[in-house]
């Protein structure tokens, strides 16, 4: 099921628009006005109620998490939802191969705490270890080509996960108070690929998340006791002071605030797309000009 914003004024008053053929019934489209209405209504609800709405409204729903506080709170909320049929939301974890050891330890503790939670781990393509990655791309690749590093370590694995798992909607741990580009975050967004992204705790503060974690005794990253608030790769994460934004320790001293997963297509991703389009055009031209293309033996 694909979800994309539509702005045609002739669409149905309900806010949904779909074709009439049987095949097209697999597609549902949000109009911009309906998406705005949904966000206005969901903003009035508690996160648990937002999650209930997701479970009853969205197909192929997964959670994506790097095991930050908000993602952990969402995991715990899902585990406590009162349903006749237990919610079946599985989790995608992107292992960049540069996570802190404390983060990887937390993953194991989460698995023990929530034994019914199935975690799907995706790593950079063709790499199982940090040594594999450095053999392929070189040491300190994040310094040599930061944008390409983000693509091969995070963006491509995420896209592969969504493709292989047939993901249509994801729950994320993003919040407005995390600063940077997240200040105007909606609860429900639709990216340029048609993927629905739901941010159940978008309107919560860091203190609210902390209070929930403490009240429900949710396992957390040991680095939080060392001044960290938002934890990513060890080479680009530092502790922060109480006066700084929650994500100020990510890529500290630089203008960067996102790794690329939640951005529009990176320049490197667009370059790859342009190269593929060029290759396809050259192939089409060759066929048009009557060149014979022989299959490899």
């Amino acid at each position: 099921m694909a979800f994309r914003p539509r702005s045609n004024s002739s669409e149905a008053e309900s806010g949904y628009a779909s074709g009439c053929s049987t095949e097209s019934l697999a597609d549902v489209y949000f109009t911009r006005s309906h998406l705005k209405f949904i966000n206005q209504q969901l903003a009035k609800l508690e996160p648990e109620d937002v999650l209930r709405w997701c479970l009853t409204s969205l197909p192929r729903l997964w959670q994506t998490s790097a095991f930050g506080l908000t993602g952990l709170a969402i995991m715990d909320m899902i585990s406590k939802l009162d349903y006749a049929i237990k919610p079946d939301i599985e989790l995608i974890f992107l292992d960049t191969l540069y996570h802190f050891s404390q983060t990887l330890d937390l993953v194991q503790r989460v698995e023990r705490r929530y034994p019914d939670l199935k975690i799907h781990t995706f790593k950079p393509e063709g790499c199982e270890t940090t040594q594999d990655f450095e053999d392929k791309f070189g040491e300190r690749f994040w310094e040599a080509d930061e944008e390409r590093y983000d693509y091969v370590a995070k963006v491509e694995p995420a896209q592969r996960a969504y493709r292989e798992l047939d993901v249509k909607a994801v729950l994320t741990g993003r919040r407005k108070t995390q600063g940077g580009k997240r200040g105007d975050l909606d609860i429900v967004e639709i990216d340029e690929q048609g993927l629905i992204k739901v941010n159940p705790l978008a309107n919560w503060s860091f203190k609210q998340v902390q209070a929930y974690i403490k009240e429900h005794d949710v396992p957390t990253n040991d680095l939080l006791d060392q001044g960290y608030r938002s934890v990513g790769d060890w080479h680009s994460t530092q502790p922060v002071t109480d006066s700084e934004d929650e994500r100020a320790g990510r890529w500290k001293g630089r203008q960067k605030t996102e790794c690329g997963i939640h951005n529009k297509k990176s320049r490197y991703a667009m370059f790859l797309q342009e190269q593929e389009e060029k290759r396809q055009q050259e192939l089409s031209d060759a066929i048009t000009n009557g060149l014979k293309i022989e299959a490899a033996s």
Side-chain angles (χ1 to χ4, degrees), residues 18 30 35 44 67-68 89 98 109 126 131 144 151 177 181 195 201 222 225 228 247 250 256 268 284 292:
S18 60
F30 285 125
L35 187 60
K44 303 173 185 176
F67 296 87
I89 298 181
Y98 287 96
R109 287 190 282 129
Q131 189 60 56
Y151 181 82
T177 59
K181 296 180 179 179
L195 178 72
L201 274 66
D222 291 341
D225 296 329
Y228 292 84
R247 287 173 60 85
R250 304 285 291 274
K256 180 175 179 176
Y268 185 70
S284 176
K292 186 179 292 185

Side-chain angles (χ1 to χ4, degrees), residues 129-152:
T129 66
T130 305
Q131 189 60 56
D132 290 340
F133 188 89
E134 293 181 353
D135 287 345
K136 189 172 183 178
F137 298 104
E139 295 183 6
R140 306 184 74 83
F141 184 51
W142 60 90
E143 291 181 347
D145 192 339
E146 181 181 62
E147 190 151 352
R148 191 175 173 216
Y149 170 81
D150 283 347
Y151 181 82
V152 299

Side-chain angles (χ1 to χ4, degrees), residues 68-75 172-175 178 201 209 246:
L69 278 188
T70 314
L72 293 166
I74 291 171
M75 289 178 211
T172 88
R174 294 178 297 159
R175 292 181 290 103
Q178 288 173 321
L201 274 66
V209 179
E246 188 178 332

Side-chain angles (χ1 to χ4, degrees), residues 35 43 47 79 102 104 113 115 121 126 142 166 173 190-191 215-216 230 233 271 279:
L35 187 60
S79 74
Q102 291 91 335
L104 300 178
R113 173 68 178 271
T121 300
W142 60 90
D166 191 27
I190 302 176
D191 73 10
E215 178 182 353
H216 296 276
S230 177
D233 290 341
F271 167 75
R279 189 186 72 81

Side-chain angles (χ1 to χ4, degrees), residues 22-294:
T22 302
E23 182 179 356
S24 70
L25 292 178
D27 290 334
V28 176
Y29 300 94
F30 285 125
T31 64
R32 295 186 185 280
S33 59
H34 188 219
L35 187 60
K36 181 179 179 180
F37 174 78
I38 287 173
N39 275 307
Q40 289 173 339
Q41 298 307 306
L42 293 180
K44 303 173 185 176
L45 303 180
E46 293 299 320
E48 291 90 343
D49 294 319
V50 173
L51 289 170
R52 289 189 179 93
W53 175 83
C54 291
L55 287 165
T56 57
S57 305
L58 303 178
R60 303 299 299 161
L61 177 66
W62 297 69
Q63 182 181 1
T64 61
S65 181
F67 296 87
L69 278 188
T70 314
L72 293 166
I74 291 171
M75 289 178 211
D76 191 76
M77 289 178 184
I78 292 172
S79 74
K80 290 178 167 60
L81 288 180
D82 183 17
Y83 268 82
I85 299 177
K86 196 166 187 178
D88 183 20
I89 298 181
E90 299 178 14
L91 186 140
I92 297 169
F93 170 54
L94 303 180
D95 184 354
T96 64
L97 304 174
Y98 287 96
H99 281 297
F100 288 92
S101 61
Q102 291 91 335
T103 301
L104 300 178
D105 173 70
L106 173 60
V107 175
Q108 295 180 351
R109 287 190 282 129
V110 165
E111 289 178 315
R112 292 194 294 269
R113 173 68 178 271
Y114 308 102
D116 293 331
L117 175 64
K118 187 172 183 180
I119 300 174
H120 299 258
T121 300
F122 284 79
K123 300 179 180 181
E125 192 167 25
C127 302
E128 279 298 316
T129 66
T130 305
Q131 189 60 56
D132 290 340
F133 188 89
E134 293 181 353
D135 287 345
K136 189 172 183 178
F137 298 104
E139 295 183 6
R140 306 184 74 83
F141 184 51
W142 60 90
E143 291 181 347
D145 192 339
E146 181 181 62
E147 190 151 352
R148 191 175 173 216
Y149 170 81
D150 283 347
Y151 181 82
V152 299
K154 303 172 186 178
V155 177
E156 189 282 327
Q159 293 175 343
R160 180 162 26 97
Y162 299 157
R163 182 175 63 252
E164 292 183 5
L165 300 174
D166 191 27
V167 176
K168 303 302 181 186
V170 295
L171 300 169
T172 88
R174 294 178 297 159
R175 292 181 290 103
K176 292 179 180 178
T177 59
Q178 288 173 321
K181 296 180 179 179
R182 303 186 178 191
D184 57 354
L185 198 65
D186 282 325
I187 292 178
V188 180
E189 303 174 303
I190 302 176
D191 73 10
E192 57 188 358
Q193 305 302 313
L195 178 72
I196 298 175
K197 293 183 176 181
V198 184
N199 315 300
L201 274 66
N203 295 321
W204 269 25
S205 68
F206 183 69
K207 288 185 177 180
Q208 285 177 293
V209 179
Q210 279 184 312
Y212 180 93
I213 294 291
K214 183 177 181 180
E215 178 182 353
H216 296 276
D217 193 28
V218 179
T220 60
N221 198 315
D222 291 341
L223 290 171
L224 297 179
D225 296 329
Q226 301 176 32
Y228 292 84
R229 287 192 183 180
S230 177
V231 181
D233 290 341
W234 61 258
H235 54 70
S236 57
T237 307
Q238 298 179 39
V240 298
T241 65
D242 292 339
S243 62
E244 292 180 296
D245 283 341
E246 188 178 332
R247 287 173 60 85
R250 304 285 291 274
W251 310 286
K252 199 162 190 174
R254 290 144 62 191
Q255 295 298 314
K256 180 175 179 176
T257 60
E258 296 285 353
C259 66
I261 296 173
H262 298 299
N263 289 345
K264 291 185 177 180
K265 282 189 176 180
S266 67
R267 289 192 297 272
Y268 185 70
M270 289 189 289
F271 167 75
L272 291 179
Q273 181 178 336
E274 290 169 358
Q275 291 296 101
E276 176 60 20
E277 290 173 352
K278 181 179 179 181
R279 189 186 72 81
Q280 291 292 343
Q281 185 60 51
E282 290 174 347
L283 178 60
S284 176
D285 292 344
I287 294 173
T288 300
N289 293 331
L291 298 180
K292 186 179 292 185
I293 300 177
E294 298 181 2

